[in-house]
Amino acid sequence: MDISAEREGGAVIARANGRVDSSNSREFHSSLEAVINKDDPAVVLDFEDVSYISSAGMRVILLTAKGLQSSGVKFVLCSMNESIREVFQISGFDKIIPIHGSQSEALAAVSA
């Protein structure tokens, strides 16, 4: 599990890749925390290169969302494959964290 990040238009774009499961969820959490600055106005987590996420990975996403929300930072997800998006919909996470089809849509949403 690798996470790369860049800043664009006042937002941090974090790109995850690979699988997120119980074997690497702590590393995933640490990597996310390392690229996110709570002074940033918005964070976009791009799932384009993520092939699988388990409940342990979902927990990391929820903890991150709650931490950023309490700091007033906008947090959105984007570019999920159909199976991962379905997991987020079935679990109700899509009601808590906005999910966008593409990175450009996500950036437009956090800039509005």
Side-chain angles (χ1 to χ4, degrees):
M1 166 55 51
D2 292 320
I3 295 182
S4 61
E6 65 182 72
R7 287 178 169 41
E8 184 177 322
V12 173
I13 303 166
R15 289 186 184 89
N17 71 41
R19 294 174 53 92
V20 184
D21 55 32
S22 60
S23 70
N24 64 2
S25 64
R26 284 191 178 129
E27 175 189 348
F28 178 56
H29 193 210
S30 297
S31 295
L32 268 178
E33 286 183 334
V35 300
I36 294 172
N37 183 340
K38 296 203 191 241
D39 294 331
D40 290 312
V43 175
V44 174
L45 182 53
D46 189 323
F47 273 79
E48 185 173 10
D49 296 323
V50 175
S51 58
Y52 173 82
I53 190 165
S54 72
S55 59
M58 301 281 289
R59 180 178 180 278
V60 170
I61 299 296
L62 185 59
L63 290 171
T64 301
K66 286 185 176 192
L68 292 173
Q69 182 181 22
S70 69
S71 298
V73 178
K74 295 178 184 177
F75 181 60
V76 299
L77 309 174
C78 71
S79 307
M80 294 178 172
N81 68 40
E82 194 59 40
S83 62
I84 291 177
R85 189 175 186 112
E86 187 176 314
V87 169
F88 275 78
Q89 290 170 332
I90 290 170
S91 66
F93 274 50
D94 63 329
K95 306 283 190 268
I96 301 167
I97 307 164
I99 300 172
H100 299 279
S102 69
Q103 188 181 109
S104 59
E105 290 173 15
L107 284 169
V110 298
S111 297

